[in-house]
Amino acid sequence: MIIVNVRSTPRRFDSQAVDEHVETPRSLFNKMGVDYSRGVTSLSGTFLTVNDMDTAFAELGVTGVCTLSTIIKADSAAI
């Protein structure tokens, strides 16, 4: 088991116990109800590719505690 802190622009889910051999970033976001489709996704600061989203945390090299985040960057308003 590993601990994953899940972050999105409007929400935070701390200390999620995850089976790193089964769970993937996509499955965890779906389980937590986080919309990651329009955001930039990273795992402890490393950007994830589309293929990484379906890769088990263990295969991504995660041990211990990590942070899975997706940030939606909106266009700035014109002045």
Side-chain angles (χ1 to χ4, degrees), residues 1 9-10 16 18 20 22-23 36 40 49 55 61 67 70 72 74 77:
M1 287 290 193
T9 303
Q16 301 300 308
V18 171
E20 69 272 24
V22 176
E23 292 279 352
Y36 55 89
V40 177
T49 66
T55 303
T67 300
T70 185
I72 298 170

Side-chain angles (χ1 to χ4, degrees), residues 19-61:
D19 181 345
E20 69 272 24
H21 299 288
V22 176
E23 292 279 352
T24 67
R26 185 183 316 273
S27 68
L28 186 55
F29 276 144
N30 288 337
K31 182 191 299 186
M32 304 312 300
V34 173
D35 179 14
Y36 55 89
S37 63
R38 297 179 300 144
V40 177
T41 302
S42 67
L43 182 62
S44 294
T46 301
F47 292 111
L48 297 180
T49 66
V50 174
N51 293 335
D52 292 337
M53 292 296 288
D54 294 315
T55 303
F57 284 101
E59 292 178 49
L60 293 171

Side-chain angles (χ1 to χ4, degrees), residues 2-5 44 62-67:
I2 60 170
I3 301 297
V4 182
N5 296 310
S44 294
V62 176
T63 59
V65 178
C66 68
T67 300

